[in-house]
Amino acid sequence: MEKIVSLCKRRGFVFPSSEIYGGLGSSYDYGHYGVLLKDNIKQRWLSAMVQERDDIVALDSSIILHSDVWQASGHVGGFSDPLVDCKFCKKRFRADHLEDSQCGQRPSKRPGEASDCDLTEARHFNLMFETRVGAMEETGVPVYLRPETAQGIFINFKNVAGIARRKPPFGIAQVGKSFRNEITPGNFIFRTLEFEQMEMEFFVPPGEAEEWYRYWVDERYAWHRRYGIRESHLRIRPHEADELSHYSSATSDIEYLFPIGWSELEGVANRGDFDLTAHTNASGTKLEWVEQDGSRYTPHVIEPALGVNRSMLAFLVDAYDEEVVADRDRTVLRLHPQLAPVKAAILPLIGKSDDMTGRARKLYEELRPLISVEYDDGGQIGRRYRRQDEIGTPYALTIDEQTIEDDTITIRERDSLAQERISIARAREHLLDRLAEPWSSPRVDA
Ligand code: ATP
């Protein structure tokens, strides 16, 4: 993990938050390439959910909702983690994750393993951040920052179903920030106080829930594979009966082999009619589906829920590679080209040659309205290539002496390092074709 953290800082993907004030635990800021990578992940998810399908529509609901939403959903009473404190080392742990935690003592052990460990009973700690709406501290109405985006979808069921011109099975997809007062220290961006979620609630006739649940587990697994996650590092883990949330009749985690071990990347849950029934009862508004013949039912819900930041971490870990090429170390992010923050670097071989820089800038201006490209004429070409390798740029287009003679350029491929000469007039078409090709990780699948 240290190598990923260091690359992210060095290349401006992710910075620790509030660093000049000593930092704030479990909070991170995203730099230029981090923003671009995160945006690409969100776009690919939205495209798979909405653009490539007929049965899902988009929504963007508020972060701050009426407090009754969280009463009805069960979050006010039940959205908590069991925590234990160690009176000896003063550290705090999730009672349900003691196996994966490290105690504060040296040499490090599991909490409770050393003879001096003095653990308290587990206490429940609500994960929702509370704030107030209104000018006055005393009179303002207490509200919560949402801990998940899903409830904004359920309470809009009637609005959307009315205008979406779709009948169950149909879904509503949303991407947005969520907030959880996570007490246990995170592992980089794996678990943070604020994060983005990509959640989709798929409303189905009750008798079809089981079938759609299985469908969405497979579909979501395939999405991670499609964008390059290696098969050996991805698995589906169905929850045991005693692990299920109060609302769920079946849940599977899609797990990734993170440096901290196999952990949840995405959850797919069969939530039954729990949410729509709870909001119907609490609000008095019937959240149900009425058929043409007047018969009515409460749809059941299948929910795939994925964190953008956790997904980004999985893509970074899966892409990070080191190798020795011609006696030199090379660090390379083998990201799927469609996720890569920059698709192509435009590099004049000699930065001081007006002929080369002029042609390179012209190509850059031609490509930039279409795709994310970067122009770089500073320093040795080898160093410029290495910089692009580290941010995962799949192609580098180099303008050299020969370009001036015959209008050809080289296109260098990040993964194989193969170089090919193509005509500058065809560069745009060539690049767009290559970016559209299916891609799988060249990393050894072990
Ligand atoms: P965990 O068991 O890891 O706390 P969860 O089961 O509480 O996760 P869900 O409520 O199912 O998580 O949220 C759906 C997804 O949102 C998770 O699979 C994860 O990708 C992401 N996620 C949840 N909490 C966080 C967090 N604190 N930081 C970053 N991502 C998160």
Side-chain angles (χ1 to χ4, degrees):
M1 189 77 100
E2 290 78 40
K3 286 182 173 174
I4 304 284
V5 176
S6 142
L7 177 117
C8 281
K9 179 144 194 233
R10 187 166 77 243
R11 292 301 179 196
F13 282 85
V14 182
F15 308 115
S17 184
S18 314
E19 208 179 2
I20 60 167
Y21 288 100
L24 174 67
S26 303
S27 263
Y28 290 90
D29 297 340
Y30 291 76
H32 182 68
Y33 297 121
V35 173
L36 297 180
L37 175 55
K38 225 153 39 95
D39 269 356
N40 291 340
I41 294 171
K42 289 186 270 186
Q43 270 175 28
R44 293 298 95 218
W45 185 88
L46 267 175
S47 173
M49 285 293 178
V50 179
Q51 194 177 323
E52 296 170 25
R53 304 180 64 102
D54 294 326
D55 53 1
I56 300 180
V57 295
L59 179 77
D60 185 10
S61 69
S62 302
I63 285 174
I64 297 175
L65 304 172
H66 196 296
S67 300
D68 289 355
V69 171
W70 305 108
Q71 290 284 354
S73 67
H75 283 84
V76 171
F79 191 58
S80 55
D81 277 345
L83 298 176
V84 296
D85 291 301
C86 177
K87 292 191 204 151
F88 183 73
C89 74
K90 309 286 181 228
K91 282 192 81 175
R92 182 168 270 183
F93 313 97
R94 278 232 335 231
D96 52 341
H97 285 184
L98 285 182
E99 282 298 299
D100 315 323
S101 308
Q102 289 208 325
C103 140
Q105 302 195 53
R106 294 281 167 266
S108 189
K109 294 206 163 39
R110 303 276 163 270
E113 223 172 59
S115 57
D116 339 10
C117 292
D118 188 4
L119 303 183
T120 62
E121 289 290 304
R123 278 172 302 187
H124 279 269
F125 181 89
N126 196 294
L127 293 175
M128 285 199 295
F129 281 106
E130 200 177 320
T131 184
R132 283 178 178 272
V133 173
M136 308 289 287
E137 177 85 1
E138 318 79 57
T139 55
V141 185
V143 288
Y144 303 98
L145 300 186
R146 68 180 176 200
E148 61 174 35
T149 67
Q151 299 304 323
I153 298 182
F154 299 130
I155 59 172
N156 274 293
F157 174 77
K158 209 170 165 208
N159 287 333
V160 177
I163 54 104
R165 295 170 56 225
R166 284 168 177 85
K167 62 187 296 259
F170 82 92
I172 304 176
Q174 162 153 252
V175 179
K177 279 227 164 163
S178 293
F179 303 81
R180 295 184 189 179
N181 200 351
E182 305 270 12
I183 290 300
T184 50
N187 286 295
F188 193 37
I189 54 172
F190 179 83
R191 188 185 304 287
T192 47
L193 300 178
E194 60 181 273
F195 52 101
E196 285 174 281
Q197 287 187 308
M198 304 182 282
E199 296 194 293
M200 195 278 292
E201 309 304 319
F202 202 68
F203 301 94
V204 303
E208 296 177 20
E210 180 55 36
E211 177 194 331
W212 281 108
Y213 164 68
R214 282 196 307 264
Y215 168 88
W216 278 109
V217 171
D218 292 346
E219 196 67 12
R220 294 304 308 147
Y221 178 89
W223 183 87
H224 297 284
R225 293 278 296 126
R226 173 175 169 187
Y227 289 104
I229 299 284
R230 287 165 298 163
E231 196 173 6
S232 58
H233 284 57
L234 200 63
R235 73 178 186 194
I236 296 169
R237 190 183 66 82
H239 279 204
E240 305 288 340
D242 61 353
E243 259 184 287
L244 292 174
S245 315
H246 56 289
Y247 53 75
S248 173
S249 60
T251 296
S252 286
D253 287 346
I254 299 177
E255 295 189 330
Y256 179 72
L257 186 52
F258 286 97
I260 51 172
W262 285 103
S263 310
E264 173 177 340
L265 172 60
E266 169 159 14
V268 184
N270 179 349
R271 299 178 73 121
D273 63 359
F274 175 83
D275 305 274
L276 292 184
T277 303
H279 288 302
T280 297
N281 293 340
S283 69
T285 298
K286 285 190 177 147
L287 302 177
E288 55 184 14
W289 180 256
V290 185
E291 293 285 8
Q292 298 242 306
D293 64 6
S295 60
R296 43 185 74 218
Y297 65 87
T298 304
H300 283 208
V301 174
I302 312 302
E303 173 196 80
L306 170 64
V308 177
N309 319 63
R310 205 176 279 186
S311 176
M312 169 167 157
L313 181 60
F315 283 124
L316 285 171
V317 170
D318 215 68
Y320 185 94
D321 205 5
E322 290 173 348
E323 61 181 8
V324 178
V325 179
D327 291 337
R328 302 193 69 149
D329 294 332
R330 178 170 96 114
T331 300
V332 52
L333 276 188
R334 303 190 193 276
L335 287 168
H336 190 294
Q338 289 180 18
L339 296 180
V342 177
K343 310 298 181 210
I346 319 293
L347 312 172
L349 184 65
I350 301 167
K352 292 199 173 70
S353 155
D354 290 344
D355 273 344
M356 289 184 205
T357 55
R359 281 175 166 79
R361 282 214 78 93
K362 190 159 168 265
L363 181 59
Y364 172 59
E365 296 301 338
E366 180 190 340
L367 293 173
R368 68 193 296 188
L370 304 170
I371 45 171
S372 159
V373 281
E374 212 168 79
Y375 172 87
D376 185 4
D377 63 13
Q380 254 190 346
I381 190 73
R383 204 171 294 154
R384 281 182 273 157
Y385 281 144
R386 275 198 294 285
R387 183 173 169 277
Q388 295 297 334
D389 287 340
E390 285 204 3
I391 62 168
T393 306
Y395 297 105
L397 308 180
T398 309
I399 287 81
D400 54 17
E401 286 94 351
Q402 204 178 320
T403 313
I404 297 160
E405 287 162 21
D406 65 4
D407 282 330
T408 62
I409 57 173
T410 61
I411 177 162
R412 170 191 184 267
E413 212 250 329
R414 173 197 70 199
D415 294 329
S416 64
L417 292 175
Q419 299 215 17
E420 195 187 328
R421 276 208 96 82
I422 57 169
S423 94
I424 200 165
R426 277 209 57 238
R428 165 180 152 163
E429 195 189 334
H430 185 94
L431 195 58
L432 294 179
D433 285 351
R434 303 245 336 229
L435 287 169
E437 284 167 7
W439 183 91
S440 63
S441 174
R443 291 190 65 192
V444 179
D445 201 12

